[in-house]
Amino acid sequence: MTLLLSLLVPLVGLSRPSTALDTGSDIGRLPALGWNSWNAYHYDISQSKIITAAEKLVSLGLKDAGYEYVNIDDAWSVKDGRDPKTQRLVPDPDKFPDGINGTADKIHSMGLKLGIYSSAGTKTCAGYPASIGYETIDAQTWADWGVDYLKYDNCNVPKNWSDTCDFCVPNNDNGSGNYPNGTCTDDRDFCPSDYDFSKSNTAKRYAIMRDAIEAAGRPMLYSLCEWGNMNVQTWGNETAHSWRATGDIGPTWTRVKDILNMNSFFMNYVDFYGHSDADMLEVGNGQLSYAQCRTHFALWAAMKSPLLIGTPLDTISSDMLGILKNKYLLEFNQDPVVGGPATPYKWGTNPDWTWNSSYPAEFWAGSSSNGILVLMMNTYDETKTKIADWGEVPGLEAGASYEVVDAWTGKSLGCQEDGVNATVLAYDTAVLLVQDKCGGDEKSRLLLV
Ligand SMILES: *[C@@H]1O[C@H](CO)[C@@H](O)[C@H](O)[C@H]1NC(C)=O
Ligand SMILES: *[C@@H]1O[C@H](CO)[C@@H](O)[C@H](O)[C@H]1NC(C)=O
Ligand SMILES: *[C@@H]1O[C@H](CO)[C@@H](O)[C@H](O)[C@H]1NC(C)=O
Ligand SMILES: *[C@@H]1O[C@H](CO)[C@@H](O)[C@H](O)[C@H]1NC(C)=O
Ligand SMILES: *[C@@H]1O[C@H](CO)[C@@H](O)[C@H](O)[C@H]1NC(C)=O
Ligand SMILES: *[C@@H]1O[C@H](CO)[C@@H](O)[C@H](O)[C@H]1NC(C)=O
Ligand SMILES: *[C@@H]1O[C@H](CO)[C@@H](O)[C@H](O)[C@H]1NC(C)=O
C-alpha cells in the first residue's frame, strides 16, 4: 500500500516549500509527539522530574511509539531577573543544577529532544522573566543550549502591544473561512469583518520570535500558545508549526468537550507543517474516566493536534499507557503521506455545523495510508448504539462491504456490508479502521488520497 501510494503521489510534502518559517528540515511536518511538564507538575518542576519523564518515555515504550519531545514548561528560570551582563535568562540552579544545556545533553543522549517555554510578554504566566524585547537574545540562548522546541505563551503583554479590537469567535465557522451566522459571545469591541488579523500586534509579537529563531540557526519546532486569539488559524501557518486553538485545557470532561467543539471548526486549516493545537493531553489526570480519556486521545489524534502527554509517567496506569500507545491512532496522527486531519461528517445530536460544547460533532472520518478512520463519539452518560453508515462516510460507498478493524482492540471485524453498528459506552468513542473492499474476484483497496 505504501508503495502504491508513493507511486500515485510521489514526494507529497517531503520537502518543505520555502515559507516564513523555513527551518530547512522536516521539523514540524507532522504533529509534535512528546511530554510536557505543565499538566503533570505545574510550577513544581526540576531537572530530575524532567529526566525521569525522559527515562520513562524510553522504558515504557513511548519513545518507540513515536513520542520524542520532552518539554519544560513555565518556571524553569531564576525569577528575579536576567543575567545583568549578558541579559540572558538564567536557569534556576536549584531546580536545574546542570543548567538547561546539561539537561539537554542528557535528553539528547537518550535520543530525545528538549523543549523550552517563554511568553511573548514581559513575564511568563507564572511571573518569570519573558521574551518580549529580548527575542534575539533568548532565541540565541536556547539555540546555544541545544533546545529543539519553543512553546511561546501569551501572558503579560505590555499595553502598547495590545490589539485595539478582538476576534469575534464564530459560532458556526464550518472551516470555509466565512462565518455564516457567526455571533459574538460577549460585548467587547470586535474587529471589523474585513480586518487583516495577520497584521495584528499579536501576529507581530509571534512573528518577531519566529524570525529570531530562524536567525539563531538551530532548527526548532515553534509552537504558538496565544489561546486562539486574533483568528490565529488564518496566520498561524505562516508563523509557526502549530498554534493553540483555544484557552487552556483542564482535566475535566466539560473542558475536553469545549475544546473539541471549538477545534472541530478549524480542521480546514490543518495540513503538513501547520497544526491547530487542541492543547496538551490530560489523559491520566483529574477525574477523567477511562472512556473519557479514550475519547480525548482519539479525537486529539484524529484532529492531528500535537500530542503532548501531561501526566507523571512514573505513576501512570497501564490503562492510560495503553491509550497513549494506541498504534492505529498514532499512525493516523503521524501519517507520512496524508497531511489532512479527520473531519466531522455528521454532528449527530445537533444539526451539522452547530456550535455546542455539550454536544459537539460526534461522527468523524479521515483518510490515511492505512485506510479510512471512522470515529463515533458517545456524548451521553449511557451506552448508545452508533451507526457507521458507509453511505454517509466520505470516501466509502453505500451498500459496499469493507474489511474493518476495531482500532481499540486491533481485532478484525471481518467484512462489513453497509456499515457497522457499534455499542459505545457512556462518553467513549468507537474507532474503526475501514480497509479493503470485500468481495468479487479481486480485492480492491480503497484509494485513500
Ligand atoms: C552550560 O552552560 C554553562 C554557562 O554557560 C557552562 O558553564 C557549562 O559548562 C555548560 N554545561 C554544559 C554541560 O555544556
Ligand atoms: C512598545 O514599546 C516598546 C519599547 O518602547 C517598543 O520597542 C515596541 O516597538 C512598542 N510596540 C509597538 C507595537 O509599538
Ligand atoms: C460552509 O458554509 C458555506 C456557507 O454556508 C458553504 O458555502 C460551504 O460549502 C460550507 N463548507 C463545507 C465544508 O461544508
Ligand atoms: C443561518 O441561520 C438561519 C436562521 O436561523 C438558518 O435558516 C440558516 O440555515 C443558517 N445558515 C447556516 C449556514 O447555518
Ligand atoms: C501550511 O504551510 C505549509 C508550508 O509550510 C503547506 O505545505 C501547508 O499546505 C499549509 N497548510 C495549509 C492548511 O494550507
Ligand atoms: C446544545 O445542544 C443540546 C442538544 O441539542 C441542547 O439541548 C442545548 O440547549 C444546546 N446548548 C446550547 C447552549 O445551545
Ligand atoms: C444496525 O442498525 C440499523 C438501524 O437501527 C438496523 O436497521 C440494522 O439492521 C442494524 N444492523 C445490524 C447488523 O445489526
Side-chain angles (χ1 to χ4, degrees), residues 373-407:
L373 196 73
V374 177
L375 303 96
M376 299 184 289
M377 172 192 185
N378 181 2
T379 48
Y380 292 84
D381 63 359
E382 59 191 15
T383 301
K384 295 273 185 196
T385 300
K386 308 287 278 189
I387 302 173
D389 175 346
W390 297 161
E392 290 177 350
V393 178
L396 300 181
E397 229 178 85
S401 177
Y402 298 97
E403 275 179 22
V404 179
V405 174
D406 175 343

Side-chain angles (χ1 to χ4, degrees), residues 174 176 178 180 353:
N174 66 3
S176 63
N178 52 23
W353 304 113

Side-chain angles (χ1 to χ4, degrees), residues 46-181:
S46 66
Q47 178 175 325
S48 78
K49 281 177 176 160
I50 302 298
I51 299 295
T52 298
E55 287 168 351
K56 288 290 174 185
L57 283 178
V58 175
S59 65
L60 295 173
L62 289 160
K63 178 183 174 226
D64 286 345
Y67 292 90
E68 125 177 271
Y69 289 97
V70 181
N71 294 349
I72 304 171
D73 208 277
D74 206 345
W76 57 268
S77 74
V78 165
K79 198 167 187 176
D80 57 9
R82 294 169 172 268
D83 181 308
K85 263 209 345 249
T86 62
Q87 296 300 308
R88 287 188 164 209
L89 294 166
V90 182
D92 184 326
D94 296 326
K95 291 179 181 169
F96 290 90
D98 294 323
I100 302 301
N101 55 352
T103 305
D105 290 349
K106 292 188 164 69
I107 300 288
H108 292 152
S109 72
M110 292 181 236
L112 297 166
K113 293 179 173 174
L114 185 81
I116 201 84
Y117 165 97
S118 188
S119 177
T122 53
K123 285 186 188 315
T124 68
C125 300
Y128 292 75
S131 298
I132 201 158
Y134 295 90
E135 292 89 348
T136 304
I137 293 174
D138 290 354
Q140 192 61 58
T141 304
W142 298 321
D144 292 351
W145 287 344
V147 165
D148 306 297
Y149 178 116
L150 172 65
K151 171 180 170 181
Y152 203 34
D153 215 336
N154 196 30
C155 281
N156 298 304
V157 178
K159 269 253 149 51
N160 78 325
W161 274 107
S162 64
D163 280 299
T164 50
C165 63
D166 267 336
F167 172 49
C168 170
V169 176
N171 65 359
N172 65 348
D173 171 15
N174 66 3
S176 63
N178 52 23
Y179 305 136
N181 295 354

Side-chain angles (χ1 to χ4, degrees), residues 349-350 355-356 358-359:
T349 298
N350 282 312
W355 179 277
N356 185 308
S358 307
Y359 297 92

Side-chain angles (χ1 to χ4, degrees), residues 37-51:
S37 58
W38 184 257
N39 289 344
Y41 300 117
H42 295 93
Y43 312 129
D44 189 16
I45 54 169
S46 66
Q47 178 175 325
S48 78
K49 281 177 176 160
I50 302 298
I51 299 295

